[in-house]
Amino acid sequence: MSMTKIPHRLYLTEEQMPKQWFNLRAAMPQQPDPLLNPATLQPLGTADLAPIFCEELARQELDGATPYVDIPEPVQEVYKMYRPSPLIRAYALEKALGTPARIYYKFEGNNTSGSHKLNSAVAQAYYAKQQGLTGVTTETGAGQWGTALSEACAYFGLSCDVYMVKCSYEQKPFRKAVMGVFDAQVTASPSNTTQVGRQILAENPGTTGSLGCAISEAVEAALASGGTKRYVLGSVLNQVVLHQSIIGLETKLAMEQLDEYPDVVVGCAGGGSNLGGLIAPFMADKLQGRSHTRFVAVEPASCPSLTRGRYAYDFCDTGHVTPLARMYTLGSGFIPSANHAGGLRYHGMSPILSKLYHDGYMEAVAYEQSRVFEAAVFFAKHETILPAPESAHAIRGAMDEALKCKQTGEAKTILFGLTGTGYFDMTAYESYLSGRMTDTIPTDEDLQRGFDSLPAIPQNRM
Ligand SMILES: *Cc1c(COP(=O)(O)O)cnc(C)c1O
């Protein structure tokens, strides 16, 4: 470490912002298993993906070999409105914890959408526009992805149809209003506007919806558009991890300027894109034998895909209209308990992160939501940022790493991803502050019901 005092916030200059994304798959000794066509169980090609995804995004999805991908100029232009994002030294948090560890966080909540999701939304909207499409369809859970995508679509002049998980639609009316400002068309899911929505409603009329179900509706809406729209997704997919690598690339550059390198990298894991993007260049170092950094994925105990899921081929959605991906999954039929307020509710996990975890390059921990909100409030008081509940999982993980350092006296360098702010999550904060928040951990029987929904294909019996 250099002897000069490290600043509280390190901003790269605009010129220093990376002009290429980094494709972590190109550094992996073994590739994640390929996406499969559920009808034939054969690996998918770009032609199979063309009706669902934008051409360039389908190409990126299947390209595990090209290490660096140019960020198109118009995408860089939007990035410059809110990037580079700051790398912050958490001096106040370190002091409050009494830890010898040095804690850094990369803050992605500084843009108007309030999360890292804008990084991929801008790229995906740009490619859709470039292909001559009129619009895109998508799902959103807590609403951050829908917000980010609405903003990107408004900028590039595309329509944006958002299927929003019904319980969020009802609990977060302001999210819907924000998307409305950007002209998005928001529909509560399951809805009766799609076949798959009607079918899910018929089977389970009282359902509050799930991400997997909203994905099914959004894919159907894209397929029904007569080729004018495509479906876009805010996490999980390889292309999204690629776009989110901007987070890790900037972080690595900034840390180099400080003569720092992380011993531990901690991030929250929903679909895995923010964590995949944050760790990308550091993980490449580890895979190529240049470092021994530990990587820790943090997930909710009520939706424990990595820590309690199966590594199996599964559908990415409840309606089974998407390709099969081999990933850690709780089964596409799994729906987290309704009192879970901390986000990160997706049943599966990025195939890239799943593979790295399966091969022993990454660790995972799960926390109950009350401990996550405890960390969120502690962090807010000391670092003056009100974190998104999702991000607070990473805070909890990083705080616990720092507390371990306190016990051992080790001055480790801990890096974590602060993915966003929590101003639309005040109902959850209120529930925590009033002592009404409860923790629900699924039983093995609950999980078994999800596993029963896994497709019965040969790979899954191994
Ligand atoms: C969506 C979201 C997450 C989850 O991100 P993944 O990349 O899907 O793991 C985390 N934090 C915030 C603030 C989010 O909006």
Side-chain angles (χ1 to χ4, degrees), residues 115-117 144 235 268-275 344 388 390-391 419-420:
S115 81
H116 66 282
K117 293 203 173 69
Q144 292 102 328
S235 187
C268 62
S273 73
N274 87 82
L275 181 58
L344 311 175
E390 293 90 343
S391 320
T419 49

Side-chain angles (χ1 to χ4, degrees), residues 32 43-44 53 77 109 191 205 234 276 292 294 334 356 366-367 407 415 452:
L44 287 170
F53 294 139
E77 285 301 302
S191 75
H292 299 282
R294 288 174 50 227
F334 178 82
L356 290 167
Y367 287 109
Q407 294 200 324
L415 165 69
D452 289 343

Side-chain angles (χ1 to χ4, degrees), residues 226-244:
T228 61
K229 299 178 185 178
R230 292 293 185 282
Y231 164 70
V232 295
L233 180 59
S235 187
V236 188
L237 296 174
N238 301 330
Q239 54 187 278
V240 186
V241 175
L242 174 73
H243 306 149
Q244 295 298 353

